[in-house]
């Protein structure tokens, strides 16, 4: 694990390096130069060198990066070599879709439980994981050492439920509810808003259309 602080901008880019290196590994590539990686990822070679130098630089001049080593090290930096137990709160459309996505487990994220307030969902299972009612949440989170809570509930309930999770030892929230949670600074929050991504897409479509109008 790198001891010094790595900027959030670099951290945001690491999952993409990890994905590319994973694909290279799968296709049997053992070494890659920053120039080659740059061509594939459409990021400048100097950006790649700068980013990877943050971790002491895994490359050797004129020899390229050892793909497997770099992949493993970035995985460690991202904490993917450890298991992270999580629960999903809100077993509706989105909660169930996330629960059905088996690939999270390949990255070390282990779904332990789903919680909801709708009694009609009680006892149903998604990929073998039971949907429980909210009155069981407190004890479940404590007993199972749950690290991450995923919020896929209406935004009006998000703050209350986030506080309940945090009060019972949850360290991080993956927040899909469209609201800011304002939790204590030691709690890690990652907000995911698909609609924001869609708005960026919309902006770029609009610009594209404007540029091509009348041509
Ligand atoms: P949904 O209505 O299918 O599911 C919500 C579930 O939460 C229901 O099963 C409901 O019974 C449960 N629920 C309500 N209050 C609760 C509480 N206090 N504790 C536990 N469970 C509770 O809705 P859907 O489509 O799954 O969306 C869920 C949330 O995610 C909504 O807030 C929606 O706006 C948001 N969303 C966010 C996206 C994003 O990119 N951030 C994308 C899609 C949805």
């Amino acid at each position: 694990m790198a001891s010094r602080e790595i900027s959030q901008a670099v951290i945001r880019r690491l999952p993409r390096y990890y994905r590319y290196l994973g694909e290279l590994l799968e296709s049997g590539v053992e070494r890659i130069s920053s120039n080659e990686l740059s061509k594939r990822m459409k990021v400048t070679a100097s950006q790649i060198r700068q980013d990877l130098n943050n971790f002491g630089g895994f490359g050797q001049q004129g020899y390229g990066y050892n793909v497997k080593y770099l992949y493993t090290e970035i995985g460690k930096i991202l904490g993917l070599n450890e298991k992270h137990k999580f629960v999903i709160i809100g077993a509706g459309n989105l909660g169930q879709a996330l629960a059905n996505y088996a690939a999270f487990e390949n990255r070390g994220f282990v779904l332990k439980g789903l919680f909801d307030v709708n009694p009609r969902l009680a006892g149903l299972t998604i990929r073998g994981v039971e949907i429980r009612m909210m009155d069981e949440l407190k004890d479940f989170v404590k007993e199972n050492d749950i690290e991450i809570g995923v919020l896929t509930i209406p935004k009006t309930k998000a703050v209350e439920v986030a506080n309940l999770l945090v009060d019972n030892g949850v360290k991080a929230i993956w927040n899909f509810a469209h609201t800011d949670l304002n939790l204590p600074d030691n709690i890690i929050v990652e907000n995911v808003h698909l609609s924001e991504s869609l708005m960026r897409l919309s902006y770029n479509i609009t610009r594209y259309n404007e540029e091509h109008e009348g041509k």
Side-chain angles (χ1 to χ4, degrees), residues 116-183:
D116 207 288
V117 283
N118 181 352
R120 277 186 298 181
L121 296 173
L124 297 180
T125 57
I126 313 281
R127 286 197 310 118
V129 179
E130 190 182 337
I131 302 178
R132 296 162 201 270
M133 294 294 96
M134 285 299 277
D135 55 359
E136 290 182 54
L137 181 69
K138 264 186 180 181
D139 288 343
F140 188 92
V141 163
K142 280 193 224 159
E143 281 161 20
N144 290 281
D145 269 330
I146 301 298
E147 203 176 17
I148 306 168
V150 181
L151 292 185
T152 49
I153 48 176
K155 67 175 178 187
T156 50
K157 308 286 183 215
V159 171
E160 179 192 330
V161 172
N163 281 313
L164 181 68
L165 288 166
V166 166
D167 288 347
N168 288 285
V170 165
K171 291 188 222 150
I173 306 281
W174 200 21
N175 177 33
F176 286 83
H178 295 292
T179 191
D180 293 330
L181 299 173
N182 297 319
L183 293 165

Side-chain angles (χ1 to χ4, degrees), residues 38-200:
S38 151
K39 266 187 236 144
R40 286 184 189 239
M41 292 184 66
K42 299 197 168 53
V43 178
T44 64
S46 78
Q47 167 100 81
I48 290 177
R49 283 193 292 268
Q50 236 177 56
D51 281 350
L52 302 181
N53 275 347
N54 271 288
F55 319 113
F58 302 114
Q60 276 169 277
Q61 198 70 40
Y63 196 52
Y65 294 104
N66 178 323
V67 174
K68 178 139 199 247
Y69 179 70
L70 196 50
Y71 178 78
T72 313
E73 288 303 306
I74 291 181
K76 277 191 216 159
I77 288 154
L78 290 172
L80 302 176
N81 55 329
E82 288 156 33
K83 295 261 179 268
H84 301 285
K85 292 191 261 182
F86 72 102
V87 290
I88 295 176
I89 317 297
N93 289 310
L94 185 56
Q96 292 199 21
L98 291 174
N100 270 312
Y101 186 54
F104 290 138
E105 256 124 72
N106 303 339
R107 299 272 182 264
F109 297 94
V110 185
L111 175 63
K112 300 297 282 186
L114 287 136
F115 289 82
D116 207 288
V117 283
N118 181 352
R120 277 186 298 181
L121 296 173
L124 297 180
T125 57
I126 313 281
R127 286 197 310 118
V129 179
E130 190 182 337
I131 302 178
R132 296 162 201 270
M133 294 294 96
M134 285 299 277
D135 55 359
E136 290 182 54
L137 181 69
K138 264 186 180 181
D139 288 343
F140 188 92
V141 163
K142 280 193 224 159
E143 281 161 20
N144 290 281
D145 269 330
I146 301 298
E147 203 176 17
I148 306 168
V150 181
L151 292 185
T152 49
I153 48 176
K155 67 175 178 187
T156 50
K157 308 286 183 215
V159 171
E160 179 192 330
V161 172
N163 281 313
L164 181 68
L165 288 166
V166 166
D167 288 347
N168 288 285
V170 165
K171 291 188 222 150
I173 306 281
W174 200 21
N175 177 33
F176 286 83
H178 295 292
T179 191
D180 293 330
L181 299 173
N182 297 319
L183 293 165
D185 285 348
N186 61 328
I187 303 301
I188 300 141
V189 178
E190 185 65 37
N191 298 302
V192 184
H193 297 308
L194 298 181
S195 50
E196 289 179 8
S197 172
L198 211 46
M199 282 184 233
R200 285 192 288 275

